[in-house]
């Protein structure tokens, strides 16, 4: 957080099929896998181009009842809210290590852009799926999640949150 590449809007990709873009995508897939995260934007690897990728793991499906989403690579993304409804939920970010915060996001969106083969891609998303896409797209607009928070009292170290959740669980049930 604070690096100039993360603070400025990324540039459009003119030709998704260009070898340097295909190489960037391969590098980002590797970085995402190494990170253990679920999403990554090109600006997070210091490349100021509009490329993002994410997936929604099946484990998340069990929690929310939503469908898992396979690894999706989106170039030149556009996000359109489909309702005014906002939801708060926890987010974390590779560029803001160790922290988590509750971030309001649109619950329902349509996102579109180009796939790596240049084909137009457009999907409707809701809940966690919509959240992940908004988080990653924000990186390309020069924003990290704390800038979207409306209640900074929920910005918390991940370790501290874990302590608190463990302590709550340890309490005897009444
Ligand atoms: Ni992030």
């Amino acid at each position: 957080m604070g690096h100039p590449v993360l603070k400025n809007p990324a540039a459009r990709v003119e030709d998704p099929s260009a070898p340097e873009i295909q190489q960037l995508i391969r590098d980002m897939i590797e970085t995402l896998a190494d990170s253990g995260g679920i999403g990554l934007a090109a600006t997070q690897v210091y490349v100021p181009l509009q490329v993002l990728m994410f997936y929604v793991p099946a484990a998340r499906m069990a929690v929310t009842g939503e469908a898992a989403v396979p690894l999706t690579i989106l170039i030149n993304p556009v996000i359109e809210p489909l309702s005014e409804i906002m939801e708060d939920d926890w987010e974390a970010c590779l560029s803001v290590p160790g922290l988590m915060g509750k971030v309001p996001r649109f619950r329902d969106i349509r996102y579109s852009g180009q796939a790596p083969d240049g084909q137009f891609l457009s999907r409707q998303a809701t809940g966690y799926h919509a959240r992940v896409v908004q988080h990653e797209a924000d990186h390309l607009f020069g924003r990290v999640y704390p800038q979207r928070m409306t209640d900074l009292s929920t910005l918390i170290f991940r370790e501290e949150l874990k302590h608190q959740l463990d302590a709550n669980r340890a309490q005897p049930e009444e």
Side-chain angles (χ1 to χ4, degrees), residues 39 44 92-95 135-136 139 144-145:
Q44 294 185 279
C93 180
L94 296 173
S95 302
H135 176 116
E136 298 309 330
H139 279 300
V144 285
Y145 77 81

Side-chain angles (χ1 to χ4, degrees), residues 52-121:
L52 65 78
M53 58 182 58
F54 67 91
Y55 68 101
V56 180
R60 190 75 203 188
M61 187 166 86
V63 178
T64 62
E66 292 164 43
V69 182
L71 180 69
T72 300
I73 295 151
L74 194 59
I75 298 165
N76 302 326
V78 174
I79 295 192
E80 174 198 351
L82 295 178
S83 79
E84 296 290 306
I85 300 168
M86 309 285 285
E87 279 179 347
D88 277 328
D89 206 349
W90 293 103
E91 293 187 18
C93 180
L94 296 173
S95 302
V96 191
L99 285 162
M100 296 188 78
K102 275 198 171 175
V103 186
R105 299 282 186 191
F106 289 109
R107 190 190 64 184
D108 308 296
I109 63 166
R110 174 182 300 282
Y111 62 89
S112 53
Q114 282 166 285
D117 62 3
Q119 291 283 310
F120 184 70
L121 184 155

